[in-house]
Amino acid sequence: MIIMGKIIIENRTYTKTDLLQGHWKEADPYFHQALTFCQQWLQGNQSFELPSSGSTGAPKDILVHRTQMEISAAATRDFFNISKGSPLLCCLNTWMIGGKMMLVRALEWEANLYLVKPSENPLLDTPTINFDFVAMVPMQVSACLANGQSQAILKKIKNLIIGGAPSSPALIKKILQEDIQAYQTYGMTETVSHIALAKITGEELIYQVLPGVKIGTDAQQRLCIQAPMAGSKTLQTNDLVEMVDDKSFKWLGRSDFTINSGGIKLQPEGMEPKMAVPFERIFGHQNFFLYGKADEKLGQKLVLIIEEQRIQEEKEQELQEVLKTLFNRYHLPKEILYAKAFIRTPSGKINRPETFKHCL
Protein backbone atom coordinates (compact mmCIF):
# COMPACT_ATOMS: atom_id res chain seq x y z
CA MET A 1 0.00 0.00 0.00
CA ILE A 2 1.39 3.41 -1.01
CA ILE A 3 0.96 6.20 1.53
CA MET A 4 0.28 9.28 -0.56
CA GLY A 5 1.35 12.83 0.01
CA LYS A 6 4.54 12.64 2.10
CA ILE A 7 7.68 14.76 2.41
CA ILE A 8 10.73 12.62 3.19
CA ILE A 9 13.92 14.21 4.55
CA GLU A 10 16.69 11.67 5.17
CA ASN A 11 14.98 9.08 7.43
CA ARG A 12 12.13 11.34 8.58
CA THR A 13 8.68 11.31 7.01
CA TYR A 14 6.11 14.11 7.26
CA THR A 15 2.48 13.60 6.30
CA LYS A 16 0.11 16.39 5.30
CA THR A 17 -1.24 16.37 8.87
CA ASP A 18 2.29 16.80 10.26
CA LEU A 19 2.95 19.68 7.91
CA LEU A 20 -0.36 21.39 8.51
CA GLN A 21 0.03 21.24 12.29
CA GLY A 22 3.72 22.14 12.28
CA HIS A 23 4.81 18.79 13.70
CA TRP A 24 8.48 18.91 12.81
CA LYS A 25 11.68 19.74 14.62
CA GLU A 26 14.01 20.48 11.72
CA ALA A 27 16.85 22.54 13.15
CA ASP A 28 18.43 22.96 9.72
CA PRO A 29 17.33 26.39 8.37
CA TYR A 30 17.07 25.13 4.78
CA PHE A 31 14.65 22.30 5.57
CA HIS A 32 12.79 24.46 8.08
CA GLN A 33 11.94 27.12 5.49
CA ALA A 34 10.84 24.45 2.98
CA LEU A 35 8.51 22.80 5.48
CA THR A 36 7.21 26.19 6.58
CA PHE A 37 6.24 26.92 2.97
CA CYS A 38 4.43 23.54 2.82
CA GLN A 39 2.55 24.45 5.98
CA GLN A 40 1.57 27.85 4.53
CA TRP A 41 0.39 26.17 1.35
CA LEU A 42 -1.77 23.67 3.21
CA GLN A 43 -3.17 26.47 5.36
CA GLY A 44 -4.41 28.13 2.17
CA ASN A 45 -2.07 31.10 1.78
CA GLN A 46 -3.06 32.94 -1.38
CA SER A 47 0.20 34.67 -2.37
CA PHE A 48 3.94 34.23 -2.04
CA GLU A 49 6.83 36.63 -2.69
CA LEU A 50 9.60 35.10 -4.80
CA PRO A 51 12.84 36.41 -6.37
CA SER A 52 12.74 36.57 -10.18
CA SER A 53 15.65 35.54 -12.41
CA GLY A 54 15.51 38.63 -14.65
CA SER A 55 14.04 37.10 -17.83
CA THR A 56 11.62 40.01 -18.27
CA GLY A 57 13.86 42.73 -16.83
CA ALA A 58 16.09 43.41 -13.83
CA PRO A 59 15.88 40.74 -11.09
CA LYS A 60 13.36 41.67 -8.41
CA ASP A 61 10.98 40.16 -5.89
CA ILE A 62 7.56 39.48 -7.39
CA LEU A 63 4.25 38.40 -5.91
CA VAL A 64 3.00 35.05 -7.19
CA HIS A 65 -0.58 34.01 -6.52
CA ARG A 66 -1.66 30.56 -5.43
CA THR A 67 -3.92 30.09 -8.46
CA GLN A 68 -0.97 30.56 -10.80
CA MET A 69 0.99 27.86 -9.00
CA GLU A 70 -1.99 25.50 -9.01
CA ILE A 71 -2.47 25.96 -12.76
CA SER A 72 1.23 25.35 -13.40
CA ALA A 73 1.29 22.18 -11.28
CA ALA A 74 -1.83 20.83 -13.01
CA ALA A 75 -0.40 21.49 -16.50
CA THR A 76 2.82 19.64 -15.67
CA ARG A 77 0.92 16.75 -14.08
CA ASP A 78 -1.26 16.37 -17.16
CA PHE A 79 1.68 16.65 -19.58
CA PHE A 80 3.64 13.88 -17.86
CA ASN A 81 0.61 11.92 -16.64
CA ILE A 82 1.86 11.78 -13.03
CA SER A 83 -0.28 9.61 -10.74
CA LYS A 84 -0.93 9.86 -6.99
CA GLY A 85 1.77 8.33 -4.82
CA SER A 86 4.50 8.81 -7.45
CA PRO A 87 8.04 9.21 -6.05
CA LEU A 88 9.50 12.66 -6.77
CA LEU A 89 12.88 14.19 -5.94
CA CYS A 90 13.42 17.84 -5.06
CA CYS A 91 17.11 18.76 -5.27
CA LEU A 92 16.66 22.39 -6.34
CA ASN A 93 16.90 25.48 -4.15
CA THR A 94 13.45 25.79 -2.54
CA TRP A 95 13.97 29.54 -2.06
CA MET A 96 13.59 29.86 -5.86
CA ILE A 97 10.58 29.15 -8.08
CA GLY A 98 11.96 25.82 -9.41
CA GLY A 99 12.29 24.33 -5.93
CA LYS A 100 9.09 25.94 -4.64
CA MET A 101 7.12 24.40 -7.50
CA MET A 102 8.49 20.94 -6.67
CA LEU A 103 6.98 21.34 -3.19
CA VAL A 104 3.67 22.53 -4.68
CA ARG A 105 3.59 19.66 -7.18
CA ALA A 106 4.13 17.10 -4.44
CA LEU A 107 1.33 18.55 -2.32
CA GLU A 108 -1.09 19.03 -5.22
CA TRP A 109 -0.33 15.66 -6.84
CA GLU A 110 -0.42 13.78 -3.50
CA ALA A 111 3.01 12.46 -4.39
CA ASN A 112 5.87 11.28 -2.19
CA LEU A 113 8.62 13.89 -2.32
CA TYR A 114 12.19 13.15 -1.28
CA LEU A 115 13.74 16.48 -0.29
CA VAL A 116 17.52 16.95 -0.28
CA LYS A 117 19.71 20.03 -0.12
CA PRO A 118 20.79 21.31 -3.52
CA SER A 119 24.28 20.10 -4.41
CA GLU A 120 26.34 19.52 -7.53
CA ASN A 121 25.51 15.79 -7.51
CA PRO A 122 22.30 15.33 -5.51
CA LEU A 123 21.81 11.69 -6.52
CA LEU A 124 24.66 10.64 -4.24
CA ASP A 125 22.52 11.76 -1.28
CA THR A 126 19.29 9.97 -2.24
CA PRO A 127 17.94 6.48 -1.67
CA THR A 128 18.08 4.09 -4.62
CA ILE A 129 14.59 4.77 -5.97
CA ASN A 130 13.23 4.87 -9.50
CA PHE A 131 11.89 8.42 -9.43
CA ASP A 132 8.95 9.34 -11.66
CA PHE A 133 9.74 13.04 -11.82
CA VAL A 134 12.88 15.08 -11.06
CA ALA A 135 13.93 18.66 -11.85
CA MET A 136 17.60 19.65 -12.09
CA VAL A 137 19.81 22.42 -13.41
CA PRO A 138 22.36 21.53 -16.15
CA MET A 139 25.32 21.57 -13.73
CA GLN A 140 23.64 18.86 -11.63
CA VAL A 141 22.85 16.68 -14.64
CA SER A 142 26.43 16.95 -15.86
CA ALA A 143 27.82 15.94 -12.44
CA CYS A 144 25.41 13.00 -12.19
CA LEU A 145 26.44 11.74 -15.63
CA ALA A 146 30.12 11.91 -14.67
CA ASN A 147 29.68 9.52 -11.73
CA GLY A 148 28.91 5.84 -12.32
CA GLN A 149 26.68 5.46 -9.26
CA SER A 150 24.59 8.55 -9.91
CA GLN A 151 24.47 7.94 -13.67
CA ALA A 152 22.75 4.61 -13.06
CA ILE A 153 20.08 6.35 -10.93
CA LEU A 154 19.70 9.15 -13.48
CA LYS A 155 19.03 6.68 -16.31
CA LYS A 156 16.11 5.20 -14.35
CA ILE A 157 14.32 8.55 -13.84
CA LYS A 158 11.07 8.37 -15.77
CA ASN A 159 10.81 12.12 -16.45
CA LEU A 160 13.75 14.50 -15.96
CA ILE A 161 13.23 18.20 -16.59
CA ILE A 162 16.23 20.50 -16.89
CA GLY A 163 15.91 24.23 -16.29
CA GLY A 164 17.43 27.33 -14.77
CA ALA A 165 19.90 27.64 -17.67
CA PRO A 166 20.32 26.20 -21.17
CA SER A 167 22.03 22.82 -21.49
CA SER A 168 25.33 23.00 -23.35
CA PRO A 169 25.80 21.10 -26.63
CA ALA A 170 28.22 18.76 -24.83
CA LEU A 171 25.63 17.97 -22.14
CA ILE A 172 22.89 17.39 -24.73
CA LYS A 173 25.22 15.03 -26.58
CA LYS A 174 25.88 13.06 -23.38
CA ILE A 175 22.16 12.89 -22.56
CA LEU A 176 21.50 11.45 -26.01
CA GLN A 177 24.37 8.95 -25.72
CA GLU A 178 23.11 7.65 -22.37
CA ASP A 179 19.45 7.62 -23.51
CA ILE A 180 18.27 9.83 -20.64
CA GLN A 181 14.55 10.70 -20.79
CA ALA A 182 14.98 14.43 -20.43
CA TYR A 183 13.24 17.68 -21.31
CA GLN A 184 14.73 21.16 -21.43
CA THR A 185 12.32 23.67 -19.93
CA TYR A 186 11.54 27.25 -20.83
CA GLY A 187 10.09 29.44 -18.12
CA MET A 188 10.73 32.00 -15.42
CA THR A 189 9.41 33.13 -12.05
CA GLU A 190 6.80 35.33 -13.75
CA THR A 191 5.34 32.27 -15.52
CA VAL A 192 5.59 30.19 -12.33
CA SER A 193 8.12 27.68 -13.65
CA HIS A 194 7.98 26.41 -17.24
CA ILE A 195 5.46 27.23 -19.95
CA ALA A 196 7.19 25.16 -22.65
CA LEU A 197 9.18 21.92 -22.86
CA ALA A 198 11.63 20.59 -25.44
CA LYS A 199 12.20 16.84 -25.37
CA ILE A 200 15.89 16.17 -25.89
CA THR A 201 15.83 13.88 -28.93
CA GLY A 202 18.49 15.66 -30.98
CA GLU A 203 20.96 18.51 -30.87
CA GLU A 204 18.38 21.09 -31.95
CA LEU A 205 15.71 21.82 -29.35
CA ILE A 206 12.16 22.78 -30.30
CA TYR A 207 9.99 23.98 -27.44
CA GLN A 208 6.30 23.04 -27.33
CA VAL A 209 4.09 25.22 -25.16
CA LEU A 210 1.81 23.77 -22.50
CA PRO A 211 -1.97 23.76 -23.05
CA GLY A 212 -3.53 27.20 -22.73
CA VAL A 213 -0.28 29.07 -23.44
CA LYS A 214 -0.18 31.56 -26.33
CA ILE A 215 3.07 32.92 -27.76
CA GLY A 216 4.22 35.50 -30.28
CA THR A 217 7.11 37.88 -30.94
CA ASP A 218 7.64 41.63 -31.01
CA ALA A 219 9.42 43.65 -33.72
CA GLN A 220 12.81 42.63 -32.28
CA GLN A 221 11.95 38.90 -32.39
CA ARG A 222 11.61 38.71 -28.62
CA LEU A 223 9.16 36.19 -27.19
CA CYS A 224 5.79 37.41 -25.84
CA ILE A 225 3.76 35.11 -23.60
CA GLN A 226 0.13 34.86 -22.55
CA ALA A 227 -0.33 32.02 -20.09
CA PRO A 228 -2.89 31.20 -17.38
CA MET A 229 -0.06 30.47 -14.94
CA ALA A 230 1.28 33.98 -15.57
CA GLY A 231 -2.02 35.64 -14.70
CA SER A 232 -3.95 37.85 -17.13
CA LYS A 233 -1.08 40.06 -18.32
CA THR A 234 1.05 39.58 -21.43
CA LEU A 235 4.72 39.07 -20.61
CA GLN A 236 7.39 40.60 -22.81
CA THR A 237 10.63 38.67 -22.39
CA ASN A 238 14.21 39.47 -23.37
CA ASP A 239 14.55 36.10 -25.13
CA LEU A 240 15.12 36.01 -28.87
CA VAL A 241 13.27 33.16 -30.57
CA GLU A 242 12.49 31.71 -33.98
CA MET A 243 8.81 30.77 -34.23
CA VAL A 244 8.23 27.30 -35.71
CA ASP A 245 4.44 27.62 -35.51
CA ASP A 246 1.96 29.20 -33.09
CA LYS A 247 2.67 26.48 -30.49
CA SER A 248 6.42 25.96 -30.79
CA PHE A 249 9.68 27.87 -31.09
CA LYS A 250 13.47 27.68 -31.08
CA TRP A 251 15.32 29.67 -28.44
CA LEU A 252 18.15 31.80 -29.88
CA GLY A 253 19.47 33.63 -26.83
CA ARG A 254 19.00 36.76 -24.73
CA SER A 255 18.51 40.10 -26.46
CA ASP A 256 20.30 41.86 -23.60
CA PHE A 257 23.43 39.78 -24.29
CA THR A 258 23.53 40.96 -27.91
CA ILE A 259 26.91 42.54 -28.73
CA ASN A 260 27.08 45.54 -31.09
CA SER A 261 30.60 45.45 -32.47
CA GLY A 262 31.21 48.22 -34.99
CA GLY A 263 27.58 48.05 -36.12
CA ILE A 264 27.63 44.23 -36.45
CA LYS A 265 25.18 42.64 -34.01
CA LEU A 266 26.48 39.39 -32.53
CA GLN A 267 24.33 36.93 -30.56
CA PRO A 268 26.76 35.06 -28.27
CA GLU A 269 24.32 32.33 -27.16
CA GLY A 270 23.76 31.42 -30.80
CA MET A 271 27.49 31.30 -31.51
CA GLU A 272 28.55 29.32 -28.44
CA PRO A 273 27.05 25.97 -29.53
CA LYS A 274 28.96 26.21 -32.83
CA MET A 275 32.19 26.75 -30.90
CA ALA A 276 31.57 23.96 -28.40
CA VAL A 277 33.02 20.99 -30.32
CA PRO A 278 36.41 22.51 -31.29
CA PHE A 279 36.66 24.23 -27.91
CA GLU A 280 36.19 20.94 -26.03
CA ARG A 281 38.70 19.20 -28.27
CA ILE A 282 41.35 21.81 -27.47
CA PHE A 283 40.54 22.96 -23.92
CA GLY A 284 38.69 19.91 -22.58
CA HIS A 285 35.55 20.19 -20.47
CA GLN A 286 36.13 23.78 -19.35
CA ASN A 287 33.23 26.21 -19.24
CA PHE A 288 33.29 29.24 -21.54
CA PHE A 289 31.11 32.04 -22.85
CA LEU A 290 31.30 35.01 -25.23
CA TYR A 291 30.92 38.56 -23.98
CA GLY A 292 31.05 42.16 -25.18
CA LYS A 293 33.94 44.21 -23.78
CA ALA A 294 33.89 48.01 -24.10
CA ASP A 295 36.11 49.19 -26.94
CA GLU A 296 36.86 52.76 -28.12
CA LYS A 297 36.89 51.88 -31.82
CA LEU A 298 34.13 49.26 -32.05
CA GLY A 299 31.94 50.24 -29.13
CA GLN A 300 32.10 46.63 -27.99
CA LYS A 301 34.48 43.89 -29.00
CA LEU A 302 33.82 40.17 -28.80
CA VAL A 303 35.84 38.37 -26.12
CA LEU A 304 35.96 34.71 -25.14
CA ILE A 305 36.00 34.00 -21.40
CA ILE A 306 37.24 30.61 -20.17
CA GLU A 307 36.96 29.08 -16.70
CA GLU A 308 40.62 28.27 -16.19
CA GLN A 309 43.28 28.89 -13.54
CA ARG A 310 46.05 29.94 -15.92
CA ILE A 311 46.59 31.38 -19.39
CA GLN A 312 46.91 28.81 -22.18
CA GLU A 313 48.59 30.67 -25.06
CA GLU A 314 49.30 27.64 -27.28
CA LYS A 315 45.71 26.42 -26.99
CA GLU A 316 44.45 29.94 -27.69
CA GLN A 317 46.31 30.05 -30.99
CA GLU A 318 45.08 26.60 -31.99
CA LEU A 319 41.47 27.52 -31.20
CA GLN A 320 41.64 30.81 -33.10
CA GLU A 321 42.89 28.99 -36.21
CA VAL A 322 40.00 26.54 -36.05
CA LEU A 323 37.45 29.32 -35.46
CA LYS A 324 38.61 31.05 -38.65
CA THR A 325 37.20 28.10 -40.56
CA LEU A 326 33.82 28.36 -38.78
CA PHE A 327 33.15 32.11 -38.57
CA ASN A 328 33.74 35.23 -40.60
CA ARG A 329 36.19 37.77 -39.22
CA TYR A 330 33.45 39.82 -37.52
CA HIS A 331 32.46 36.81 -35.40
CA LEU A 332 35.95 35.91 -34.19
CA PRO A 333 36.89 36.68 -30.56
CA LYS A 334 39.21 39.68 -30.44
CA GLU A 335 40.60 38.65 -27.06
CA ILE A 336 40.61 35.62 -24.76
CA LEU A 337 40.22 36.16 -21.02
CA TYR A 338 40.27 33.78 -18.07
CA ALA A 339 38.28 33.54 -14.84
CA LYS A 340 39.35 31.17 -12.06
CA ALA A 341 35.74 30.30 -11.21
CA PHE A 342 32.57 31.43 -12.96
CA ILE A 343 30.07 33.25 -10.75
CA ARG A 344 26.58 31.76 -10.92
CA THR A 345 23.09 32.89 -9.98
CA PRO A 346 21.05 30.96 -7.37
CA SER A 347 19.30 29.12 -10.22
CA GLY A 348 22.62 27.95 -11.70
CA LYS A 349 23.00 30.36 -14.63
CA ILE A 350 26.41 31.89 -15.29
CA ASN A 351 26.36 35.51 -14.15
CA ARG A 352 28.17 36.90 -17.18
CA PRO A 353 28.64 40.54 -16.08
CA GLU A 354 29.95 39.60 -12.62
CA THR A 355 32.24 36.88 -14.00
CA PHE A 356 33.65 39.35 -16.53
CA LYS A 357 34.60 41.71 -13.69
CA HIS A 358 36.81 38.98 -12.16
CA CYS A 359 38.69 37.99 -15.31
CA LEU A 360 42.46 37.62 -15.25
Side-chain angles (χ1 to χ4, degrees):
M1 177 180 177
I2 298 175
I3 301 174
M4 294 180 289
K6 302 182 296 184
I7 304 288
I8 301 101
I9 300 174
E10 296 175 344
N11 61 347
R12 300 178 296 281
T13 299
Y14 302 100
T15 65
K16 281 190 175 182
T17 300
D18 295 328
L19 296 170
L20 186 60
Q21 297 179 356
H23 289 168
W24 69 81
K25 295 181 180 179
E26 290 291 347
D28 187 286
Y30 179 79
F31 292 131
H32 185 85
Q33 64 83 20
L35 295 176
T36 298
F37 172 82
C38 292
Q39 181 188 43
Q40 292 170 345
W41 183 267
L42 293 171
Q43 288 174 338
N45 280 29
Q46 293 300 304
S47 60
F48 304 88
E49 196 170 76
L50 298 171
S52 78
S53 60
S55 295
T56 60
K60 57 188 180 298
D61 287 345
I62 63 173
L63 198 65
V64 174
H65 294 282
R66 181 188 187 92
T67 303
Q68 295 174 252
M69 302 172 91
E70 290 173 337
I71 292 171
S72 176
T76 301
R77 178 197 60 211
D78 294 345
F79 184 92
F80 290 106
N81 194 27
I82 305 294
S83 58
K84 293 181 179 181
S86 291
L88 317 181
L89 173 66
C90 178
C91 54
L92 297 178
N93 186 346
T94 55
W95 286 104
M96 306 294 288
I97 188 62
K100 281 281 195 300
M101 281 307 302
M102 285 303 300
L103 299 176
V104 172
R105 290 171 190 138
L107 297 172
E108 289 294 296
W109 299 351
E110 295 188 62
N112 298 323
L113 180 72
Y114 293 80
L115 178 60
V116 300
K117 286 186 178 181
S119 63
E120 187 172 1
N121 189 339
L123 295 184
L124 296 178
D125 301 320
T126 62
T128 306
I129 291 173
N130 295 342
F131 294 105
D132 282 356
F133 187 85
V134 180
M136 292 186 181
V137 297
M139 180 176 62
Q140 290 175 318
V141 179
S142 181
C144 290
L145 283 167
N147 178 281
Q149 176 186 337
S150 57
Q151 184 185 113
I153 300 172
L154 192 72
K155 295 177 77 168
K156 292 179 181 179
I157 293 173
K158 189 175 181 180
N159 300 295
L160 172 67
I161 64 172
I162 307 170
S167 295
S168 68
L171 178 56
I172 290 174
K173 183 179 179 181
K174 188 68 173 176
I175 288 169
L176 294 170
Q177 287 176 343
E178 299 300 332
D179 195 27
I180 307 296
Q181 300 301 304
Y183 294 77
Q184 182 74 41
T185 69
Y186 175 85
M188 62 207 73
T189 307
E190 292 88 338
T191 60
V192 190
S193 192
H194 53 267
I195 53 92
L197 293 156
K199 188 168 187 181
I200 300 178
T201 56
E203 294 182 4
E204 185 176 65
L205 300 182
I206 298 178
Y207 292 86
Q208 306 287 335
V209 299
L210 295 178
V213 176
K214 296 179 181 179
I215 56 173
T217 57
D218 67 0
Q220 298 178 46
Q221 211 178 344
R222 298 180 304 173
L223 185 68
C224 308
I225 302 167
Q226 282 185 314
M229 57 282 284
S232 57
K233 61 184 178 182
T234 298
L235 290 177
Q236 175 62 66
T237 76
N238 288 323
D239 291 302
L240 297 170
V241 301
E242 176 187 332
M243 296 289 290
V244 176
D245 54 42
D246 62 351
K247 298 291 184 184
S248 58
F249 62 91
K250 299 176 186 177
W251 182 80
L252 303 178
R254 296 265 299 190
S255 64
D256 47 351
F257 290 154
T258 299
I259 300 165
N260 190 332
S261 184
I264 304 296
K265 290 187 177 180
L266 307 175
Q267 183 55 48
E269 289 165 311
M271 297 169 59
E272 287 159 4
K274 298 177 184 178
M275 291 181 55
V277 173
F279 180 88
E280 184 176 340
R281 179 174 60 80
I282 296 168
F283 278 89
H285 297 288
Q286 301 298 95
N287 293 310
F288 75 93
F289 65 88
L290 297 169
Y291 196 73
K293 181 180 179 181
D295 182 81
E296 287 188 13
K297 181 180 178 181
L298 299 172
Q300 288 180 300
K301 67 178 180 181
L302 184 69
V303 297
L304 171 64
I305 299 176
I306 304 172
E307 190 172 34
E308 175 61 81
Q309 297 286 338
R310 63 187 188 280
I311 295 172
Q312 305 275 355
E313 291 185 358
E314 291 186 6
K315 291 182 179 181
E316 285 183 26
Q317 294 173 3
E318 183 181 355
L319 179 64
Q320 290 283 31
E321 290 302 314
V322 175
L323 293 182
K324 288 178 183 178
T325 67
L326 299 176
F327 298 106
N328 63 48
R329 62 190 180 92
Y330 302 108
H331 290 71
L332 292 174
K334 302 297 187 289
E335 189 178 352
I336 296 179
L337 305 174
Y338 298 84
K340 292 181 179 179
F342 283 1
I343 298 169
R344 295 182 180 271
T345 67
S347 61
K349 296 177 184 176
I350 297 172
N351 188 325
R352 296 180 183 227
E354 287 301 315
T355 298
F356 172 70
K357 292 178 183 177
H358 292 82
C359 285
L360 300 173

